[in-house]
Amino acid sequence: MLSVATQTLRARWASFAGVFVALSLGACLLATTGLTIASTVSDGRPPVWYARPAVVVTGSQTVSVTVDEGDGEHYTSSTRTRRPQQLPAGTAERLAALPGATVVVDRAVPVDVAGVALEAHPWSSAGLHPYTMRDGHPPHADDEVALPEAVGARPGDRVEVSTPLGPRALLVAGIVTGPPAVYLTDPAAAALAEGRVDAIAVDGVTVAQVREVVGPGPAVLTGDRRAGAEADPGGDLLAAAASLLGTTAGVALFVSVFVVAGTFAFAVVQRRQELALLRAAGATPRQVRRLVLGESLIVGVVAGLAGCLAGLLVAPPFAAWLARSGFAPPGFTARFILWPLLAAFGVSLLVALAGAAVAARRAGKVRPIEALREAAAERRVMTAGRWVFGVLFLGGAAVLLAVVPSLGGEAIALVLLDAQLAITGIALLAPVFAPRLAWLAGLLVPGVAAALARDNARTAVRRTASTVAPILVTVGIAAATFAATATLWDASERASAARVTAGSIALPSGSAGIPVASGAVAGVPTAQSVVYVSTDDYPEEFDALYAGPGVDGVLRLPVRSGSVADLAGTDTVVAGAGLARAAGWRTGGTATLWLDDASPVQLRVVAVLEPSLDLDETVLLPWALRAAHAPRTGADAVHLTGSTLDGARVVTAAEYFRSLNAAQRRLNHLALVAVLGMALVYTSIAIANTLVMATGARVRDLAVLRLGGATPRQVLAMIAVEALLVGATGVLLAGAVTAGMLAGLRAGLAGLVADPRTVVPWTPIGVIAAVCVAITLVASLVPAALALRTPPGRLSSVRE
């Protein structure tokens, strides 16, 4: 049947142009995202700071959970932590004792110089990578410093350096080119790091000798793996980029299946007589199904190859856009990797076959007698399968929406999934709602053209539903995700701000944080961090908040059991309700977790909080525990019990939480715009393809109107009104989905936030809706206007 399928594609190429473009675009998008995601993997990143030493020793940066499945079988799940674990005391001395060994101890402390965030290192670490002393000399005294050119200082200048131990006035001894860093004398760097060692560079001995000395705990890195000991400021950005690309690819698949399935379904309806003739000529239902699937296979193969080739060209500039937009570090680019291209081709082919599968099944049911029918009346559109799956998808969306507010920070990630479930359900039931809703909307428009338009929209059920579906998908996803995400962000920020009872909050002026030596500030210091907890046999990352003594006096915490006042020492923890439930913790029991430097700790649970939007999956840790594991960093914020704090910026609670989430909100908004912009392109393809195919089947109807006395302008007016009614119907259905989601979301938030608000970003939603309606109007009028250029007599005899 492939030869017959090839012939039908040649004869009906215009009908499959939309499918080809959609699949090509999908394959291009998947190839682009796949190549970019594969390029974010940093395992092959060459070392920059540790470019010269043969071996680098650093603390373990991996958390592993081993699960015994019985019968001697077990598996291990691992994740990489934010920071490496502290190296055991005396490691550098033991390595230096090896015959022929050359050892350099490196330490890194965050500092700010003239508004530039940098790291301070001992001068001995400058030799671990290429550098040039541009001017001056290395630091010789503890009050001297060597700076990078970016600071703009000159030798002999006095500069103020903000450090976790407070500001220091230092004399600029020299200017250094190379990896940007602040260099102090080795004793000054050791004092600033409070003795903590980040890494040890070793030369002159074998890797086996190093491993024998350090033991099984620390990481011994060679080759490109030495980059694992370096700070990677682009790591979080690459993770955000991978998340964005994964979401974009998911939406691409979601929308492309709609386009392909809708196009093939519409094509089968238009070809019923042709398929019936094949049946009358002896073709079996299986052969008819193979014909439709063969067409989709050919289109899928050609479109997949074209899309992958286009992806190779698009990926590098797309990666550059990610870097410019803040989703990836500067200089990030996409590399040629074979497996993403193969995956993109395979997925696009599967989408083509899956999208055509239902249409092929329906084509196999065409009866030979239908070849004798001249009437083009609509057959039954709503099948039992559409009813069942439509109801199931709507039910699943309702259930998911009911649990979204209780999931805390994870809720935002599920909003898009919930919107897709609801929209899929409505799209499956569109033949029931869309024609009737379009007819009702048409009652508001006077005139004969409007009457014909609303009757056409009501009777042409399949055409109306096929046009409404892509509009519903795009506007629905846009409105639901924009509004629900904005509502959740607003609720979370307001809940966090309402929790603060301190009069104001002090923020640091740079990355070094606020120095909080004992008795130095009148307030409670806090710092954001993460911990790793084994849930479902996997070490999962959760938010953590280090808090100083008296945190219950500056934060209104909803305690279910225990007392927050007992959060002290280095062996206590307060757990959010959701995390306590997932990990099986209870007040008075023991919580086993890993800190952000991979250090395992066992803490006594002194309190469990009530369910809340902002703290449900968060732990509160005592400040003394942070001082033991991160002694070189100041506080992220200080909840003031006084009025001011020298050298800090004082803000209100609302301003603090807005600034805390500003960068993430900007990236989320930009990600949504990118994802929905892509969906809008798919919508344009789907609408244009459906309406061009539909116009080809309506030429005789247009000819009858012209022969009956209607002018071309009147016919076009009728088509324009019908397009506007159908476009408005898609927007109204999307609005109904969004309103239902927001109503359920607000009801769920009522138990977590006092007086929750619904936040709707009208501008981006309105723009996307207007573009969809405009595309519907243009895609309806242009092919109709071209068809009406043919005289009515000839138009009435045009072959379908």
Side-chain angles (χ1 to χ4, degrees):
M1 297 299 289
L2 282 178
S3 60
V4 179
T6 303
Q7 296 298 322
T8 57
L9 284 174
R10 289 179 180 176
R12 292 181 171 270
W13 65 268
S15 299
F16 296 97
V19 173
F20 174 80
V21 173
L23 288 174
S24 298
L25 180 62
C28 175
L29 182 62
L30 290 173
T32 301
T33 55
L35 290 171
T36 310
I37 290 175
S39 299
T40 63
V41 178
S42 60
D43 290 345
R45 180 172 62 92
V48 176
W49 187 265
Y50 299 110
R52 286 179 171 171
V55 181
V56 177
V57 179
T58 186
S60 173
Q61 203 169 350
T62 302
V63 169
S64 300
V65 175
T66 301
V67 179
D68 188 355
E69 294 185 314
D71 300 329
E73 298 291 332
H74 64 276
Y75 67 91
T76 300
S77 300
S78 301
T79 189
R80 183 178 173 85
T81 59
R82 299 285 182 92
R83 297 188 297 118
Q85 195 172 349
Q86 171 68 3
L87 286 170
T91 302
E93 289 76 8
R94 292 196 302 273
L95 288 170
L98 290 173
T102 301
V103 173
V104 176
V105 175
D106 191 23
R107 317 170 197 268
V109 180
V111 297
D112 288 273
V113 185
V116 180
L118 296 165
E119 285 186 342
H121 289 262
W123 174 251
S124 59
S125 68
L128 301 178
H129 49 263
Y131 77 94
T132 302
M133 179 60 69
R134 178 76 176 246
D135 196 6
H137 58 81
H140 298 311
D142 289 351
D143 64 343
E144 291 184 341
V145 63
L147 298 176
E149 290 182 298
V151 174
R154 294 180 300 178
D157 290 347
R158 280 277 177 182
V159 295
E160 185 172 285
V161 180
S162 298
T163 76
L165 300 181
R168 294 188 176 183
L170 300 176
L171 177 67
V172 179
I175 303 300
V176 183
T177 61
V182 171
Y183 294 100
L184 303 173
T185 62
D186 286 26
L192 191 61
E194 299 185 78
R196 185 178 177 95
V197 176
D198 277 281
I200 302 172
V202 186
D203 282 301
V205 294
T206 65
V207 175
Q209 288 176 296
V210 174
R211 293 188 189 277
E212 184 178 356
V213 170
V214 302
V220 178
L221 308 177
T222 59
D224 284 350
R225 294 182 63 238
R226 292 171 295 172
E230 302 175 356
D232 185 13
D236 290 342
L237 291 176
L238 292 177
S243 176
L244 166 65
L245 296 171
T247 303
T248 304
V251 173
L253 290 176
F254 178 72
V255 181
S256 60
V257 167
F258 265 88
V259 175
V260 175
T263 300
F264 271 99
F266 200 67
V268 166
V269 170
Q270 290 188 318
R271 297 166 59 190
R272 291 188 72 87
Q273 285 189 329
E274 174 188 321
L275 297 174
L277 283 172
L278 287 175
R279 293 280 287 113
T284 65
R286 182 180 180 183
Q287 288 174 320
V288 173
R289 289 194 297 269
R290 289 173 58 191
L291 170 65
V292 176
L293 290 175
E295 293 169 350
S296 68
L297 176 65
I298 295 172
V299 175
V301 169
V302 177
L305 291 174
C308 289
L309 291 175
L312 283 173
L313 300 176
V314 173
F318 179 69
W321 175 83
L322 288 175
R324 290 195 305 271
S325 303
F327 280 105
F332 173 69
T333 188
R335 310 188 305 270
F336 173 80
I337 303 173
L338 181 60
W339 70 261
L341 298 176
L342 295 177
F345 177 80
V347 170
S348 64
L349 189 59
L350 287 177
V351 167
L353 295 174
V358 175
R361 183 172 177 271
R362 182 174 297 167
K365 294 182 178 180
V366 174
R367 293 174 297 174
I369 192 64
E370 295 189 39
L372 304 178
R373 293 180 178 174
E374 289 293 332
E378 292 275 350
R379 272 78 173 179
R380 184 168 64 98
V381 179
M382 286 302 299
T383 61
R386 291 190 76 135
W387 278 110
V388 171
F389 285 105
V391 172
L392 285 177
F393 275 110
L394 284 179
V399 171
L400 183 59
L401 183 61
V403 301
V404 157
S406 64
L407 298 178
E410 299 295 326
I412 293 177
L414 293 176
V415 168
L416 182 59
L417 174 60
D418 192 48
Q420 289 176 338
L421 288 175
I423 290 165
T424 303
I426 295 293
L428 288 171
L429 301 176
V432 177
F433 302 116
R436 293 169 175 81
L437 187 57
W439 185 83
L440 289 174
L443 294 176
L444 302 176
V445 184
V448 176
L452 289 173
R454 64 175 177 260
D455 286 339
N456 281 336
R458 183 177 62 177
T459 55
V461 175
R462 192 176 298 278
R463 183 175 70 236
T464 300
S466 297
T467 308
V468 163
I471 300 175
L472 167 64
V473 169
T474 303
V475 180
I477 289 179
T481 52
F482 269 124
T485 301
T487 298
L488 281 168
W489 274 106
D490 178 77
S492 179
E493 289 181 1
R494 291 175 64 219
S496 299
R499 199 176 302 290
V500 177
T501 58
S504 55
I505 299 176
L507 301 180
S509 56
S511 62
I514 300 176
V516 288
S518 178
V521 297
V524 177
T526 60
Q528 304 287 333
S529 186
V530 297
V531 296
Y532 302 87
V533 181
S534 176
T535 59
D536 296 327
D537 300 329
Y538 179 79
E540 189 174 355
E541 182 179 292
F542 292 91
D543 291 332
L545 179 69
Y546 286 97
V551 64
D552 53 331
V554 296
L555 292 180
R556 188 183 296 108
L557 298 171
V559 179
R560 170 185 288 177
S561 60
S563 173
V564 178
D566 294 333
L567 185 68
T570 59
D571 62 346
T572 58
V573 64
V574 174
L579 179 52
R581 181 175 60 253
W585 299 343
R586 70 181 191 282
T587 302
T590 299
T592 300
L593 50 85
W594 292 264
L595 302 180
D596 67 337
D597 66 348
S599 297
V601 292
Q602 289 190 329
L603 308 176
R604 179 168 51 90
V605 182
V606 296
V608 173
L609 304 179
E610 292 284 357
S612 61
L613 186 62
D614 56 330
L615 295 177
D616 203 54
E617 295 189 340
T618 301
V619 295
L620 273 68
L621 300 172
W623 190 261
L625 183 64
R626 182 175 190 267
H629 289 271
R632 303 161 300 167
T633 51
D636 293 343
V638 174
H639 293 65
L640 295 175
T641 54
S643 57
T644 60
L645 183 62
D646 292 339
R649 180 167 55 96
V650 178
V651 298
T652 65
E655 291 170 337
Y656 168 63
F657 287 106
R658 276 198 301 270
S659 65
L660 189 66
N661 299 323
Q664 187 61 46
R665 291 187 70 168
R666 185 189 72 83
L667 290 178
N668 281 0
H669 184 80
L670 189 60
L672 284 176
V673 170
V675 171
L676 295 171
M678 177 275 306
L680 191 59
V681 174
Y682 271 104
T683 300
S684 306
I685 296 170
I687 295 173
N689 190 64
T690 298
L691 293 176
V692 168
M693 291 172 64
T695 301
R698 297 178 68 184
V699 291
R700 291 185 179 179
D701 295 338
L702 301 180
V704 169
L705 288 174
R706 292 282 287 112
L707 293 173
T711 64
R713 178 172 302 198
Q714 290 173 322
V715 174
L716 291 177
M718 178 202 72
I719 291 175
V721 172
E722 182 180 348
L724 292 175
L725 291 178
V726 172
T729 299
V731 173
L732 289 174
L733 287 175
V737 172
T738 305
M741 284 191 60
L742 291 178
L745 188 59
R746 181 166 180 170
L749 291 172
L752 302 172
V753 182
D755 189 24
R757 298 185 304 190
T758 299
V759 182
V760 180
W762 292 106
T763 300
I765 296 174
V767 168
I768 290 175
V771 170
C772 286
V773 174
I775 291 170
T776 305
L777 183 62
V778 172
S780 298
L781 288 176
V782 171
L786 293 175
L788 289 174
R789 295 172 62 181
T790 304
R794 290 177 55 194
L795 193 63
S796 62
S797 62
V798 171
R799 181 175 60 90
E800 292 186 9

